[in-house]
Amino acid sequence: MWQRIADGGLTDLDSQDAAHLHAWIRGVASRILSADDGSDAGQRPGRVLAAVGLSGKPDGYAALREVVNDVVWEFPVITADGELDETRAQLVRQMVEIARQRGLLKGVYAVDDKQATDLIRKILRKQI
């Protein structure tokens, strides 16, 4: 997200992207304030770096993990008959499409539906 902001890629946000960005900013702000509220000033720089997500080893799947773990998937559409409108497999396919639209699936994952779906399922099962 920091790279996207630095590249100026936030000028064409749709309402869903804007809501996601707002939630992300609120989360970062909350973590920064918590990190700054510590009593040990010597650990403050490390806590602040961790709060903004810039400490430790970079997670190559962080942005994809955000899509997969988005709270929107926890609220499936219910039909008038009280049935689930979307199966878990359909939700996974939607995750793949959103990830592709955002440019998060590269290489073979950008073109191979089965491999992209398998990657999303591994992230869902926390195997990656």
Side-chain angles (χ1 to χ4, degrees), residues 41-74:
Q43 292 182 348
R44 182 175 181 256
R47 288 193 313 260
V48 172
L49 275 176
V52 297
L54 296 175
S55 69
K57 183 179 172 188
D59 179 2
Y61 295 108
L64 185 56
R65 211 179 301 283
E66 284 183 27
V67 169
V68 170
N69 294 327
D70 194 331
V71 71
V72 71
W73 308 117
E74 300 301 323

Side-chain angles (χ1 to χ4, degrees), residues 10 16 18 22 25 30 44 80-81 97 101 115 118-119:
L10 301 177
Q16 185 175 359
H22 183 262
I25 291 170
S30 176
R44 182 175 181 256
D81 299 331
E97 287 309 310
Q101 289 170 1
Q115 292 210 26
D118 288 346
L119 177 63

